[in-house]
């Protein structure tokens, strides 16, 4: 399973000043720690909620350039603003990257997909449209189809699409975990070359012992066809769930990763 | 890289369980470095005797793997990874060990006995026997006594090779010899046995004709038998 390290996100209290004050050493440390813990991509979201668009463009340029120079991992440029994405990708300048994210919004797709095509990078595609997150599998699949069609039209290959089936808190609606898992399986079925990705922790919002729910959900999602997760790679419970689920799915040749993590446990 | 270094590298990578360059090993961070397949090809290209590669490179490495398994350092998948490497190596070496065009020295039925899945040693023996000019009928692993006796009979085989790697399954070899006696086939066929837990004393005990330490020992013994 591909881990996308989620920690460099300016909405987190500890990260916000790091971005605003350009604390280079701390930023690199946060990226490196995630890489050391097994992250294949380092997500960077500089949306602090303060300042304007130009500030964010400046911030993403700085953050990407800083991380890219110090940590040998691809960067997942994370923003809901096409200009920030464009600036982040430009700053990557050949360094492997990914775009996080688009949804089934035709205008936005027309802005972002050309960036993905130009830089030849994968894109995370949220299974939602302008009305929000559909409550059922058919609705989410339809959103994925809209994105896939647009991607085809803009020359982004299916193999570069990472569909996120999205997950709503089960505390409010207990059927939602299964809707997400069924969407995963349906996406795999309809877009066989595409990959799937998910941020899992939403599922447990509002319930106790969240780590336990998140870990079980990750294992089930791996069975349903999850390829990548946006998560905290330093979270040992989640790491264990990822290693265990991958091993049980027969996707860890000779149990190398599983055994290496646990043989002396 | 000279011969010793190359053999050492092959040995190391079998112990690491790395078949091809992209494979992970037991230890971290070896991806990308040449592994067993690439190294064996190098060794062959460098003209190193295939027999030396088998004896020094492969067999020795599997002994180390066994010792590590014994100590609990290696788990079953680790052992299997190494076993796969030996299989891949033998696929490359087989044609070199077998010099074609020799007239048949006799029909040789070969099997790992019932309940035993270890077939690496037997497969090496099969290749060596073919190389030495025998017509080999390899029945595979976990072969029932009934099937072994049937194959000896149906093919009118002059030789039978039995392999067992477990102290629990080596007893089955005695059962096979008894069954041959009961079928009246014992006199037509020479029975050779091998596998780590077996010994000369054990061969005598169950009434086998010979015990072989390794595949090359088997070829020597067969040569003596023919003389
Ligand atoms: C690889 C391996 C496995 C692999 C086998 C894969 C395969 N396709 O063969 C796997 C992982 C499947 C395996 C499983 C098991 N294994 Co295991 N395995 C080994 C290991 C590490 C190497 C064997 C090997 O391939 N050696 C290399 C070859 C080249 O050598 P060889 O077989 O001895 O053959 C040479 C000679 O003996 C001779 N020879 C052999 N047969 C014959 C036949 C004839 C006719 C002739 C002439 C010559 C000859 O010539 C060969 C070539 O030179 C040994 C440890 C060891 N050091 O032997 C344990 C070992 C044999 N396994 C062992 C055990 C316990 C098991 C399991 C029970 C483990 C478990 N807990 O599940 C299972 C049993 C499965 C079964 N039912 O058979 C024990 C046996 C202990 C005992 N007292 O019986 C050993 C000794 C490990 C240990 N130290 O505990 N195993």
């Amino acid at each position: 399973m591909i881990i996308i390290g989620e920690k460099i996100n300016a909405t987190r209290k500890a990260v916000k000043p790091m971005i605003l004050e350009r604390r280079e050493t701390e930023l690199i440390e946060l990226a490196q720690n995630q890489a050391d813990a097994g992250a294949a991509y380092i997500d960077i979201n500089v949306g602090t909620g303060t300042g304007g668009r130009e500030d964010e463009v400046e911030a993403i340029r700085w953050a990407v350039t800083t991380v890219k120079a110090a940590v040998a991992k691809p960067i997942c440029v994370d923003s809901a603003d096409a200009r920030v994405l464009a600036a982040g990708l430009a700053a990557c300048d050949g360094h492997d990257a990914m775009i996080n994210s688009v949804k089934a919004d035709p205008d936005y797709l027309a802005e972002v997909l050309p960036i993905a095509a130009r830089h030849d990078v994968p894109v995370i595609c949220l299974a939602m449209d302008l009305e929000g997150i559909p409550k059922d599998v058919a609705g989410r699949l339809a959103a994925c189809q809209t994105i896939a069609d647009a991607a085809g039209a803009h020359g982004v290959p299916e193999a570069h699409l990472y569909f996120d089936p999205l997950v709503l808190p089960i505390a409010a609606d207990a059927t939602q975990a299964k809707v997400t898992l069924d969407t995963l399986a349906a996406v795999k079925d309809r877009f066989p070359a595409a990959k799937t990705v998910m941020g899992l922790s939403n599922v447990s919002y509002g319930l106790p012992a969240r780590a336990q729910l998140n870990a079980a959900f990750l294992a089930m999602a791996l069975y349903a066809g999850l390829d990548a997760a946006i998560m905290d790679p330093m979270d040992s419970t989640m790491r264990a769930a990822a290693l265990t689920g991958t091993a049980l799915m027969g996707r860890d040749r000779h149990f190398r990763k599983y055994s290496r993590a646990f043989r002396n446990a | 890289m000279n011969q010793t270094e190359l053999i050492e590298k092959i040995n190391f990578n079998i112990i690491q369980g790395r078949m091809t360059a992209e494979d992970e090993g037991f230890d971290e961070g070896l991806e990308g470095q040449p592994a067993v397949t690439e190294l064996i090809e190098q060794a062959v290209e460098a003209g190193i005797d295939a027999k030396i590669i088998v004896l020094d490179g492969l067999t020795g490495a599997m002994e180390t793997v066994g010792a590590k398994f014994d100590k609990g350092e290696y788990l079953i998948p680790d052992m299997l990874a190494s076993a796969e490497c030996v299989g891949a190596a033998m696929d490359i070496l087989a044609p070199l060990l077998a010099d074609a065009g020799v007239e048949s020295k006799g029909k040789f039925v070969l099997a790992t006995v019932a309940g035993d899945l270890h077939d690496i040693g037997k497969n090496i023996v099969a290749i060596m026997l073919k190389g030495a000019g025998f017509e080999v009928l390899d029945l595979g692993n976990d072969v029932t006594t009934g099937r072994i006796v049937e194959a000896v009979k149906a093919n009118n085989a002059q030789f039978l090779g039995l392999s067992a790697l477990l102290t629990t399954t080596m007893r089955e070899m005695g059962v096979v010899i008894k069954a041959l006696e009961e079928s009246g086939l014992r006199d037509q066929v020479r029975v050779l046995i091998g596998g780590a837990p077996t010994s000369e004393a054990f061969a005598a005990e169950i009434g086998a004709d010979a015990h072989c330490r390794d595949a090359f020992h088997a070829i020597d013994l067969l040569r003596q038998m023919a003389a």
Side-chain angles (χ1 to χ4, degrees):
Chain A
M1 196 194 74
I2 301 162
I3 296 176
I4 302 172
E6 69 182 5
K7 301 204 81 163
I8 303 182
N9 189 319
T11 57
R12 294 179 56 227
K13 242 204 338 254
V15 177
K16 189 172 170 177
M18 213 184 272
I19 302 292
L20 290 176
E21 292 160 29
R22 305 286 194 263
R23 297 185 193 161
E24 195 174 298
T25 329
E26 283 176 35
L27 186 76
I28 291 171
E29 195 185 313
L30 192 50
Q32 189 63 54
N33 287 345
Q34 294 185 89
D36 293 345
Y41 283 84
I42 309 296
D43 191 84
I44 302 182
N45 183 329
V46 296
T48 57
T50 56
R53 205 180 195 191
E54 274 319 308
D55 297 316
E56 258 186 55
V57 166
E58 274 313 305
I60 194 77
R61 275 197 195 118
W62 167 75
V64 166
T65 312
T66 305
V67 171
K68 169 181 101 168
V71 182
K73 291 284 173 194
I75 289 169
C76 186
V77 183
D78 184 355
S79 174
D81 183 333
R83 279 202 53 215
V84 176
L85 292 176
L89 265 295
C92 282
D93 189 26
H95 185 87
D96 276 342
M98 183 189 272
I99 290 175
N100 185 9
S101 55
V102 297
K103 60 182 175 182
D105 169 349
D107 295 342
Y108 193 62
L109 285 168
E111 275 189 85
V112 177
L113 289 173
I115 303 172
R118 177 157 16 101
H119 293 279
D120 194 24
V121 295
V123 191
I124 295 179
C125 312
L126 309 181
M128 63 185 289
D129 52 31
L130 287 166
E131 262 125 67
I133 301 175
K135 287 278 182 297
D136 58 4
V137 176
R140 292 195 200 176
L141 209 51
C144 294
Q145 187 66 57
T146 304
I147 299 171
D149 292 344
H154 284 99
V156 176
E158 187 175 298
H160 267 181
L161 304 181
Y162 278 64
F163 287 108
D164 183 341
L166 296 173
V167 53
L168 295 166
I170 51 166
D173 176 357
T175 65
Q176 281 302 318
K178 189 157 184 314
V179 168
T180 300
L181 296 174
D182 291 347
T183 304
L184 263 182
V187 162
K188 274 286 174 192
D189 192 50
R190 187 175 301 182
F191 311 104
K195 295 221 151 59
T196 54
V197 61
M198 208 156 48
L200 297 126
S201 53
N202 242 359
V203 77
S204 58
Y205 183 82
L207 289 168
R210 292 186 63 180
Q212 202 166 283
L213 281 166
N214 294 346
F217 190 54
L218 175 54
M220 294 165 97
L222 284 167
Y223 177 71
L226 188 70
D227 297 303
I230 304 175
M231 60 181 241
D232 176 358
M234 277 101 102
D235 179 333
S236 59
T237 310
M238 287 305 273
R239 245 169 54 80
L243 289 164
T244 310
T246 307
L248 284 167
M249 286 301 291
R251 278 157 60 180
D252 179 10
R253 202 163 117 78
H254 298 309
F255 296 85
R256 289 296 190 210
K257 295 189 170 69
Y258 181 85
S259 298
R260 203 174 283 140
F262 300 118
R263 72 170 76 238
N264 298 318
Chain B
M1 228 183 313
N2 66 32
Q3 174 165 328
T4 321
E5 283 166 351
L6 203 45
I7 296 272
E8 246 165 50
K9 269 229 152 107
I10 291 169
N11 206 288
F12 171 80
N13 278 284
I14 289 174
I15 295 167
Q16 286 289 335
R18 298 183 62 243
M19 196 154 83
T20 57
E22 69 263 24
D23 279 346
E24 286 184 56
F26 181 92
D27 292 319
E28 221 166 338
L30 295 167
E31 295 91 315
Q33 295 178 31
V36 172
T37 312
E38 292 87 5
L39 292 166
I40 294 275
E41 269 158 9
Q42 262 186 54
V44 169
E45 216 156 285
I48 302 177
D49 186 355
K51 185 171 162 178
I52 290 174
I53 303 178
V54 171
L55 278 179
D56 297 354
L58 312 190
T59 313
M62 282 316 281
E63 271 163 29
T64 308
V65 169
K68 285 175 181 289
F69 182 74
D70 246 355
K71 280 189 289 180
E73 184 188 343
Y74 269 34
L75 305 165
I76 290 171
D78 302 322
M79 205 154 76
L80 261 181
S82 299
E84 258 181 42
C85 291
V86 175
M90 287 313 294
D91 283 346
I92 301 170
L93 295 173
L96 299 168
L97 291 166
D99 34 296
V102 214
E103 72 180 277
S104 174
K105 293 203 181 117
K107 284 190 178 153
F108 206 116
V109 170
L110 198 57
T112 298
V113 297
D116 200 319
L117 300 176
H118 297 85
D119 63 1
I120 296 176
K122 170 192 67 64
N123 292 345
I124 293 178
V125 171
I127 290 158
M128 294 303 297
L129 288 173
K130 280 180 202 159
F134 291 87
E135 253 179 275
V136 178
L137 186 69
D138 186 347
L139 302 180
N141 59 8
D142 190 14
V143 186
T144 60
T145 296
R147 270 192 62 212
I148 295 174
V149 173
E150 224 169 84
V152 169
K153 190 174 179 181
N155 294 282
N156 208 1
Q158 296 100 304
F159 302 95
L160 171 63
L162 297 174
S163 184
L165 267 281
L166 299 168
T167 43
T168 47
T169 54
M170 62 192 270
R171 293 271 143 216
E172 194 64 26
M173 296 173 155
V175 176
V176 174
I177 291 174
K178 276 244 161 59
L180 287 172
E181 281 165 4
E182 281 160 16
S183 315
L185 295 167
R186 184 65 188 91
D187 294 335
Q188 82 168 52
V189 65
R190 305 250 197 169
V191 181
L192 285 73
I193 67 162
T198 62
S199 63
E200 220 162 300
F202 179 70
E205 183 193 323
I206 62 168
D209 295 292
H211 165 258
C212 311
R213 278 190 311 276
D214 58 41
F216 302 104
H217 186 210
I219 304 294
D220 277 348
L221 284 177
L222 287 164
R223 203 168 284 142
Q224 286 168 30
M225 283 180 190

